[in-house]
Amino acid sequence: MTGPSLLQRASHVIKDQTDPHTITMNIGRLIRVVPRSRNIEAILIFFVLGLYAFELAQVQLSTIAKLTPEFFMLWAPIAVLSVVFHVVLRFKASEADSLLLPIALALNTLGIAEIYRLDIAKTIAGDTDLFGFKQVIWASVALAIGFLVVWLVPTHLFLRRYVYISMIIGVALLLSPMLPFVGLKINGAQLWISVAGLTFQPGELAKIALTVFFAGYLVTHRDSLAAVGRKVLGIKLPQARDLGPILMIWLASLAILVLQRDLGTSLLYFGLFLVMIYVATGRAIYVVVGLAVFGSGAFLAGRILDYVGGRFDAWLNPFSDLHYKADVNSSYQLVQGLFGMAHGGIWGTGLGGGFPQMVPVAESDFIISSLGEELGLVGLFAILGLYLLLVSRGLRIAFNHTDDFSKLLAIGLSFVIALQTFIVVGGVTRVVPLTGLTTPFLAAGGSSLLANWIIVALLLRISDSLKAESPKVKALA
Amino acid sequence: MSDLALFLVRAAFVVVLWIFIFTIISVVRSDLFGQKIVRKVVKANSPQVLSTPILPPSAGQPATPSVGFAQPESKLNKNAKPAIVPERLLITAGDKAGYQLKLQNRDITIGRAETSDLVIDDEFASTNHARLFKANGVWMVEDLKSTNGTYLDGEKVTAAVALTLGSEVRIGKTAFELQG
C-alpha cells in the first residue's frame, strides 16, 4: 500500500463532519512520551552556549565597547565542560531527562555574565575584589563534580543505605558554622565556615544530606504516620512517637533561627520537611500544624530576640530613615536593590546598561536585583520561568517513578531549589524578610554551585533509572 | 557602538532568551500532552469505508478503527506490511490511556497487584486479573478467574483466546490493544 489517495483523505474529512464520534477519535490518541532524547539536550546546550556568548559579548560591548580575550576565557571552560557532561550522559545515563542540564546551564551562565558585568563596573571604580573568574572556576568544578556523580554513581539507591549517616552529616554541616575559630559571621548571619582563607557555606550541602535522610526516614515510617492515630475533633492525630522526629526537626530549625540568626535557612529546612512528609503521607494536617508551629515560633523569636526583630522591622519599614541609615540590620541594601529594579522597569537597561554595582554585595545576595535592573521584568520573568521549568522537570521525574524512595528524593531535591528560590527572590523583592541564602545557580559562591549541580546530577541519575523499570508500564521514547 | 545598535542588541537578547524558554516549553509540552500517535492497523473492513466515502456510518455499527485514523503523510503507514507482528501493547482507555508497553517474549500479568506487569488501578479489576502469553508465536489473552471478567471486542473471555492486532481487550475502565 502506498500513500493514501486524495479521495481517501477527502473521505475521512467528510466522515469527520458527519459522525461526531469519529471526530473525537480522529484527533488522535495522545501518548505520553518522556522526551529523553539526548539529541534534544545537545541542541539545547548549543543554544545555551550561544546565549552565553551573546550575554558576554553584550556586556563587553556596552561597557568597554570592545571584545577582549576575557570573553573566551569566560566562555570556553564552561562550553568544554558542558559538552563533556553531555557526552558522559550519552554513555552513562542515556535515558536521563534532557532538559535539566540545559536549564541549569542557562541559569548558571546568566549568573556568570552578570557577575562579570559587575566586575567590569568594579574595575572601573578601582575595586580589586572580583568574582567573575572565580565563578567560572567554581562552575567548572561543579560541572565536573556533577558529571563525575553521574559517571561514578551507578544508581542513586545506594543513598538509601546511608539514611542515618546522612542525617548526622546534614546536622553536622548545619551546625559547623557555630564552631569556634572556623565559624564566620557575615551580615549578622552565622552561615559560613572559613578554612585557610576559603569561605564555605555548609548549609548548602546539608540540604542534600537532609533530603536523603527525610526520604529514607519517611519511606520507612510513612504508613504509621499516615494511618495510625487517634481521632480528636474529627482530625486523626498521629501517634506521639511518630511525632517525635517532627518535633525534633521543628526544634532544630528554631535553633538555627536563634543561633545562626537566619530565618531563611530555618524556613528552608522546615519547609522541605513539611513538603516531604505531606507527599509521603498525603495528610494536609502535617502542613497546617507545621506552618502554625513554625509561624508562632518565628513570631516569638521576633519578639524576644532583638536581631530577628530588627530584621523584621527593616523588612516592614525599609524606607524609614531609622532603618535605611541604621548601622545594624540596615535596609540600605534592600532599598538599593528595589531602586535598581525600578530603574530597570519592564524592559530593563540591557546587560551592561544599568548601575547594579550600587547595591552592596550585588554579585551574591542581590544578583536577582542586578539582573532585574538590566533585563527588566521581562528578563526576571524569564529567569523565574527557567526555575519553574527546572523544578517541574524534577517533580515530573518524581511523578514518573514507581519506587517510593526515588519519588521522595526527587520531590525533595527539586522542592528545595524551588523553596530556596522563593525565599531569596522573595527577600530581594520584599515579599519575605531578607535572608542569607543564595540564589541557586546564579549567585557568586562555590558551595551553592556545587550543591545545586550535585542536585541536578542526582535528578539526572534518578530520571535515568526509570528505564530500568521495564517491563512495567512506561512510555517508549 | 551607537545607541541604536545597542538597543537592537538588547532587544534581540530578550527575544532570544524567551525563544529558549519556549523551546523548552515545547519539549515539556510533548511530555505532558503527548505526541500524536498514528494508527497503523489496517483492518480487513477498511476498504468498505473507502468505498462508501459519502455515506455516514450507521449508528449501530461500532466505530471500528479504520484507515481513516492513519495520517496520510505518516512514514509508518507507508511502511505498513500486510502481516504485522505485534510489538507493543497500547492502552486506549482508562487512567493510563496513552501508555504503551513493549512486548517481549514473556508473559504479561495484568491486575491490581503491584507486582503485575501492567498495574490497573481500577475498582473493577481483580488483583490478578488476566494474563497475556505467547503460544506458537500468537499472543493470547486469558482471564484469571477475575470477579468482573475480561472482554475481548465486547465478548467475555472464558478460555484463552488469540489476540489480533487492534482488537480491544477491556478490563473494567481500562482498554488496550496490540499494535505492530
Side-chain angles (χ1 to χ4, degrees):
Chain A
M1 200 183 114
T2 56
S5 66
L6 258 176
L7 174 73
Q8 204 174 327
R9 284 201 214 177
S11 77
H12 66 259
V13 169
I14 293 163
K15 232 173 121 226
D16 282 356
Q17 291 161 350
T18 48
D19 184 1
H21 189 198
T22 326
I23 291 174
T24 52
M25 304 276 285
N26 253 342
I27 290 169
R29 291 213 180 86
L30 297 177
I31 166 168
R32 287 169 208 176
V33 177
V34 185
R36 294 207 191 108
S37 161
R38 297 261 73 84
N39 295 339
I40 294 176
E41 187 181 76
I43 294 167
L44 288 174
I45 285 175
F46 280 114
F47 201 145
V48 173
L49 292 176
L51 210 56
Y52 183 34
F54 196 160
E55 288 154 12
L56 291 173
Q58 197 187 342
V59 164
Q60 289 200 332
L61 288 176
S62 56
T63 50
I64 49 180
K66 60 173 189 262
L67 290 175
T68 63
E70 281 189 347
F71 175 96
F72 293 102
M73 287 154 68
L74 290 162
W75 188 82
I78 302 291
V80 169
L81 280 159
S82 50
V83 169
V84 173
F85 203 143
H86 171 73
V87 172
V88 169
L89 282 176
R90 271 191 189 265
F91 287 102
K92 292 288 175 178
S94 61
E95 300 287 308
D97 191 279
S98 58
L99 298 176
L100 283 171
L101 179 58
I103 298 173
L105 201 61
L107 286 167
N108 198 345
T109 51
L110 191 59
I112 297 172
E114 184 64 28
I115 291 164
Y116 175 62
R117 186 258 169 277
L118 287 162
D119 275 359
I120 292 178
K122 281 184 191 168
T123 317
I124 292 168
D127 195 343
T128 50
D129 195 16
L130 305 179
F131 292 92
F133 283 98
K134 275 190 207 165
Q135 183 77 348
V136 171
I137 293 168
W138 275 118
S140 310
V141 171
L143 275 167
I145 289 184
F147 70 66
L148 284 180
V149 167
V150 174
W151 192 341
L152 302 176
V153 177
T155 166
H156 60 283
L157 289 174
F158 86 99
L159 289 169
R160 209 178 161 174
R161 276 182 270 154
Y162 303 108
V163 168
Y164 289 95
I165 293 177
S166 296
M167 179 189 76
I168 294 164
I169 293 173
V171 171
L173 283 170
L174 269 184
L175 297 180
S176 59
M178 287 184 282
L179 289 174
F181 306 117
V182 292
L184 189 67
K185 193 190 271 184
I186 300 177
N187 291 335
Q190 190 136 22
L191 297 173
W192 289 264
I193 54 173
S194 170
V195 180
L198 280 173
T199 55
F200 201 77
Q201 200 166 357
E204 289 289 333
L205 286 174
K207 68 189 183 191
I208 301 173
L210 287 179
T211 308
V212 172
F213 163 63
F214 291 156
Y217 173 78
L218 289 169
V219 161
T220 343
H221 294 271
R222 62 191 292 178
D223 289 338
S224 60
L225 284 168
V228 188
R230 269 178 307 166
K231 262 200 167 177
V232 180
L233 297 171
I235 299 168
K236 201 151 64 167
L237 292 178
Q239 280 178 309
R241 64 167 177 196
D242 290 330
L243 271 177
I246 300 166
L247 290 174
M248 226 174 71
I249 301 290
W250 174 61
L251 285 175
S253 60
L254 280 186
I256 294 168
L257 179 63
V258 173
L259 297 170
Q260 304 189 349
R261 313 186 167 197
D262 196 67
L263 181 70
T265 315
S266 69
L267 184 61
L268 182 67
Y269 295 109
F270 197 65
L272 171 67
F273 183 65
L274 283 188
V275 162
M276 290 184 75
I277 200 170
Y278 174 63
V279 172
T281 62
R283 294 181 66 186
I285 176 95
Y286 287 113
V287 179
V288 175
V289 171
L291 285 179
V293 294
F294 185 80
S296 48
F299 180 76
L300 274 179
R303 277 296 172 86
I304 298 166
L305 304 163
D306 276 350
Y307 49 85
V308 181
R311 285 220 156 185
F312 277 132
D313 285 342
W315 165 55
L316 292 170
N317 308 302
F319 296 104
S320 77
D321 252 9
L322 179 70
H323 294 296
Y324 187 68
K325 291 178 178 163
D327 293 330
V328 189
N329 283 326
S330 160
S331 62
Y332 177 78
Q333 187 188 23
L334 180 62
V335 171
Q336 287 296 315
L338 291 173
F339 287 163
M341 286 187 282
H343 178 225
I346 290 181
W347 302 103
T349 60
L351 282 173
F355 303 94
Q357 68 274 20
M358 293 179 72
V359 185
V361 274
E363 70 285 335
S364 63
D365 292 15
F366 273 66
I367 190 92
I368 281 290
S369 83
S370 308
L371 287 163
E373 178 177 357
E374 304 219 305
L375 298 177
L377 192 66
V378 182
L380 215 48
F381 275 172
I383 293 167
L384 293 179
L386 286 174
Y387 280 118
L388 190 64
L389 288 166
L390 185 72
V391 172
S392 74
R393 290 319 293 168
L395 296 183
R396 182 72 182 159
I397 291 164
F399 181 78
N400 280 1
H401 228 289
T402 48
D403 170 57
D404 284 341
F405 177 73
S406 316
K407 245 185 207 305
L408 279 172
L409 191 62
I411 291 261
L413 291 176
S414 35
F415 181 75
V416 86
I417 292 181
L419 187 59
Q420 192 168 349
T421 309
F422 167 75
I423 294 170
V424 174
V425 177
V428 171
T429 53
R430 217 164 71 79
V431 175
V432 292
L434 191 61
T435 69
L437 290 176
T438 56
T439 326
F441 297 109
L442 288 178
S447 30
S448 167
L449 279 181
L450 213 59
N452 288 308
W453 274 110
I454 292 175
I455 287 180
V456 167
L458 283 175
L459 284 174
L460 286 167
R461 216 350 118 215
I462 297 172
S463 65
D464 181 56
S465 68
L466 276 166
K467 74 173 174 191
E469 300 286 306
S470 174
K472 285 244 196 273
V473 174
K474 73 169 188 95
L476 296 168
Chain B
M1 273 174 100
S2 70
D3 283 351
L4 179 68
L6 264 184
F7 171 78
L8 288 178
V9 168
R10 283 164 188 172
F13 179 71
V14 170
V15 172
V16 175
L17 189 60
W18 277 99
I19 289 175
F20 176 66
I21 287 174
F22 279 104
T23 314
I24 293 176
I25 288 174
S26 72
V27 179
V28 172
R29 187 183 164 282
S30 70
D31 176 26
L32 291 181
F33 300 110
Q35 295 169 342
K36 273 198 171 178
I37 55 156
V38 197
R39 290 242 183 164
K40 49 181 175 173
V41 183
V42 183
K43 290 197 90 180
N45 59 354
S46 55
Q48 290 173 4
V49 181
L50 296 182
S51 59
T52 55
I54 315 289
L55 286 176
S58 60
Q61 192 183 324
T64 47
S66 70
V67 77
F69 288 101
Q71 287 185 347
E73 297 80 4
S74 148
K75 237 193 272 174
L76 295 169
N77 202 29
K78 281 179 193 159
N79 297 339
K81 281 170 252 162
I84 309 168
V85 186
E87 277 171 6
R88 60 209 171 113
L89 181 160
L90 175 71
I91 299 175
T92 55
D95 290 343
K96 284 185 171 146
Y99 277 101
Q100 36 183 344
L101 190 64
K102 213 172 198 165
L103 296 177
Q104 287 156 345
N105 280 332
R106 44 175 290 187
D107 294 5
I108 295 175
T109 55
I110 304 164
R112 284 166 82 170
E114 278 189 35
T115 48
S116 307
D117 297 319
L118 174 55
V119 181
I120 295 182
D121 236 347
D122 188 329
E123 292 166 51
F124 301 102
S126 301
T127 312
N128 294 305
H129 196 110
R131 185 169 72 102
L132 298 188
F133 61 97
K134 208 171 183 180
N136 299 329
V138 181
W139 279 96
M140 315 272 282
V141 60
E142 176 190 37
D143 188 84
L144 299 174
K145 300 200 177 83
S146 66
T147 315
N148 293 303
T150 306
Y151 293 84
L152 176 63
D153 283 334
E155 293 197 11
K156 192 159 184 173
V157 175
T158 45
V161 199
L163 281 174
T164 49
L165 285 174
S167 53
E168 183 195 70
V169 180
R170 185 169 277 275
I171 292 171
K173 285 178 287 187
T174 303
F176 59 85
E177 63 187 44
L178 298 191
Q179 296 208 330

